[in-house]
Every structure is written in structure tokens, then in C-alpha cells.
Amino acid sequence: MMQKKPLTIHHSPFTLKGASCFLLPIAIGMASCFFSCSFNPSLQGKGKAAIQGTWQQDSLANSKQLVNYALYRFRFSCDSVFIRMENFSKVNYGADTCMRNGHWFEYARATYAQSHDTLRINGYYCNADYTLKDTKGCFNSGPYAESFKISPKGDSVLQMQPLSGTLPFKLRLIKRTSCVPKPL
């Protein structure tokens, strides 16, 4: 007949106390991720109501004496901005198909944030239809980042001072709009 072995209990080196030292940091990490993470908003932000609409720069003081300059058109729509830059140059920096006899347009689409008197714009250079610009095209492509000191001069004029430049300019309101947030 077969002999039965006595029942023995083996003690595992893995104890509840040891497991808590290992599992507790993981549980805390997972909980902090769960409570600190949030989904991106489903609608665009509202932006600043005072600047909603289309603003245009008509001229630049002393433009006849400048070698290069640009005239801007800004369209603020909620927290987005669409920028058209009409460039003028007396110097040919590249192929004439790009320069077009010293007069050409560039475009950017971006989001903006205003804090006190500073308007920060971050986005990308794009085509006239605001699709992303090919890097092999003329002039600027890739990221567009600019900051301006902004001062309202009445209800329909904004004084803009680029923080990366020296020439201030005025924008005139040509069409007032209100923000209707769009789905992202």
C-alpha cells in the first residue's frame, strides 16, 4: 500500500506586508493619474470678446523709407486667429516666382491668449485657404509664434507693438463678430 505523506504548509516569502510596499506606490500613481488627467475640451475656447472680428492695418508710417514691411489683417474667431500678411520689399531675396516683384502674401492660423496687455499667438504658416503650408513652398513654413503689446484706442482701433520688432501699427475694425464655439 501507498504511504500518505503528511500535510505540510510552506511559508511564502511574499507576505501581505511585503506586497503593500510594492503595490501601494503603484496604486497611488494610478489614482493620481486618474484624478489629474482630463479630456481635451470638445469645443474651442471663447477668446476675448473685445477683439472678436476682422481687423486690418491700412498703412504703416514711413513705409516709403523702409526696405521691407508687412501690412496685417487679423480675423479673431473665438480663441483662434487667422492672419494675412501682405509683404512689400525693395530687395529680391529669392526666386521672382515667390517675390512677385516685391509684393506677396503669407498666411498663418493660430490660437491666441491675452494676458493684460500682451497678446501671444502660436500656430503655423499656411496657404491662402488656411491649410498647412508645404515646407518646399515659398518663404516661411512651419511654426508661427508672435507676441504683441496690444492697446485699444477706442472701440474700433487697436495699437499693436510686436515684441520681436520695433514698428508699432494700428489695426482698424472692419467687421465685428461674436464667438460661436465650434467643435474640435
Side-chain angles (χ1 to χ4, degrees):
M1 229 194 223
M2 233 175 175
Q3 197 175 17
K4 290 187 175 184
K5 290 185 181 179
L7 179 63
T8 58
I9 299 176
H10 296 282
H11 293 285
S12 169
F14 185 74
T15 63
L16 190 55
K17 184 177 180 184
S20 67
C21 290
F22 175 71
L23 294 176
L24 186 60
I26 292 175
I28 290 172
M30 289 175 65
S32 66
C33 259
F34 178 75
F35 290 109
S36 66
C37 295
S38 64
F39 292 105
N40 288 332
S42 58
L43 294 174
Q44 70 183 128
K46 291 191 179 220
K48 297 289 184 181
I51 61 174
Q52 296 296 306
T54 303
W55 299 79
Q56 184 166 315
Q57 177 186 5
D58 294 323
S59 63
L60 185 63
N62 302 322
S63 62
K64 299 286 186 209
Q65 289 82 26
L66 298 173
V67 176
N68 305 314
Y69 67 95
L71 297 178
Y72 290 91
R73 181 180 185 131
F74 288 80
R75 182 170 54 90
F76 293 95
S77 175
C78 298
D79 66 348
S80 300
V81 60
F82 302 90
I83 305 165
R84 183 186 78 178
M85 296 155 272
E86 185 176 4
N87 297 285
F88 299 89
S89 179
K90 295 177 184 171
V91 179
N92 190 350
Y93 290 109
D96 198 51
T97 57
C98 293
M99 295 287 296
R100 295 195 176 97
N101 296 319
H103 182 228
W104 71 97
F105 292 91
E106 289 189 278
Y107 303 88
R109 71 177 186 190
T111 57
Y112 72 91
Q114 186 177 350
S115 176
H116 305 290
D117 66 347
T118 305
L119 182 70
R120 296 187 198 311
I121 299 174
N122 289 297
Y124 293 93
Y125 283 97
C126 55
N127 298 310
D129 63 355
Y130 296 105
T131 58
L132 283 181
K133 191 174 184 181
D134 183 8
T135 56
K136 297 174 189 148
C138 292
F139 301 110
N140 294 307
S141 62
Y144 174 86
E146 185 67 78
S147 294
F148 297 92
K149 181 180 178 188
I150 183 171
S151 333
K153 302 290 182 190
D155 196 31
S156 60
V157 175
L158 295 175
Q159 177 76 34
M160 305 286 279
Q161 171 67 52
L163 298 184
S164 64
T166 57
L167 297 173
F169 59 90
K170 288 183 181 176
L171 294 174
R172 177 180 52 84
L173 180 65
I174 57 174
K175 182 180 180 187
R176 175 75 67 192
T177 59
S178 57
C179 173
V180 179
K182 296 177 182 73
L184 298 176

